[in-house]
Amino acid sequence: YNGDALQSYMGRVNYSFKDKYFLTGSYRYDGSSRLTDQYAGFPSLALAWRLSNESFLQDSEVINDLKIRASYGETGNQAVPSYSSLSRVNVGNAYYFDGTTPSVTTPLGAPAPQNLKWEVAKTTNIGVDASFLNGKLTATAEWYNKDITDLLYAQQAPFYVGGQYFLSNLGAINNTGFEFSLGYTPVDTGKFKWESNFNISFNKNKVEDLGNWEM
């Protein structure tokens, strides 16, 4: 048998007021049999404000929809092979003695990691969505920042303890960027529709921590 188990609990709350103010909050509590520290919690929160429904923009002939949003959330990654947190042994027949061949167990691979836990991604997102000219022109601008910590990484042990590879939580990475998209529909007669779209993005990846060797 080669398998694993994943157990999750999740709660979510959605709230809106006058179709102008929005809030969504959620919390996940996940457990994985692949890890030593099996359980971890992951919260998230999202807020939005639809300015186009406010009195100062309701009668605008140019702006049809305008919304500002912001969110923060955490997610976990347990993408390692089954039994990664357990020591493994090899069973074999090593020698012949007194008419029998006894079974012998020997260590297989590197020692198991002692504190293998969830890899965590923490993401912050701020964006603006807008629609103009009766929906003919749409625009979206978005900034994001993602920090990944406790990376699940196959690390090589020193050769004086065998030089084998073992899994560990090692280092941190940052990913940040900006995205902008623009859409325009100059013609829409029902039988013929012309759409033009433009988008551009800027992204920066940075390794912030390479970690230290530790078994």
Side-chain angles (χ1 to χ4, degrees):
Y1 174 75
N2 182 18
D4 53 74
L6 182 66
Q7 186 178 51
S8 300
Y9 303 92
M10 189 183 79
R12 175 177 292 173
V13 175
N14 293 307
Y15 177 76
S16 65
F17 181 69
K18 293 185 177 181
D19 199 29
K20 293 189 291 187
Y21 314 108
F22 306 89
L23 181 148
T24 299
S26 66
Y27 185 81
R28 291 182 61 101
Y29 190 65
D30 296 332
S32 171
S33 63
R34 300 182 183 184
L35 308 173
T36 308
D37 294 338
Q38 295 180 339
Y39 285 90
F42 306 103
S44 68
L45 179 67
L47 303 170
W49 177 22
R50 177 165 278 126
L51 285 82
S52 54
N53 283 353
E54 295 287 359
S55 58
F56 56 85
L57 282 179
Q58 276 185 334
D59 299 326
S60 174
E61 297 181 357
V62 178
I63 300 175
N64 305 116
D65 188 45
L66 179 61
K67 182 171 69 174
I68 299 174
R69 50 186 169 77
S71 64
Y72 171 83
E74 298 181 8
T75 57
N77 178 20
Q78 50 98 41
V80 294
S82 302
Y83 314 116
S84 296
S85 61
L86 302 177
S87 297
R88 295 175 295 167
V89 296
N90 183 50
V91 180
N93 298 321
Y95 58 91
Y96 181 82
F97 176 74
D98 196 21
T100 63
T101 305
S103 297
V104 176
T105 59
T106 56
L108 179 63
Q114 299 300 309
N115 297 297
L116 194 64
K117 56 186 178 181
W118 287 84
E119 177 183 296
V120 180
K122 302 176 181 179
T123 305
T124 301
N125 184 291
I126 299 174
V128 178
D129 302 313
S131 175
F132 309 93
L133 306 176
N134 295 321
K136 287 188 175 182
L137 179 64
T138 60
T140 298
E142 195 159 8
W143 173 86
Y144 60 89
N145 182 78
K146 185 175 184 179
D147 290 304
I148 303 176
T149 58
D150 299 321
L151 294 168
L152 291 169
Y153 181 74
Q155 187 178 10
Q156 186 176 27
F159 287 104
Y160 62 80
V161 292
Q164 301 285 347
Y165 284 88
F166 68 98
L167 287 165
S168 63
N169 295 100
L170 178 69
I173 294 176
N174 174 263
N175 180 278
T176 186
F178 175 80
E179 295 180 350
F180 177 78
S181 62
L182 191 67
Y184 184 54
T185 306
V187 179
D188 186 1
T189 64
K191 294 183 179 180
F192 176 76
K193 188 176 183 179
W194 172 16
E195 291 183 338
S196 298
N197 294 282
F198 168 81
N199 64 78
I200 189 171
S201 62
F202 304 91
N203 184 70
K204 181 180 180 182
N205 290 309
K206 181 181 179 182
V207 178
E208 295 191 326
D209 182 13
L210 293 176
N212 297 313
W213 184 85
E214 182 179 353
M215 289 183 64

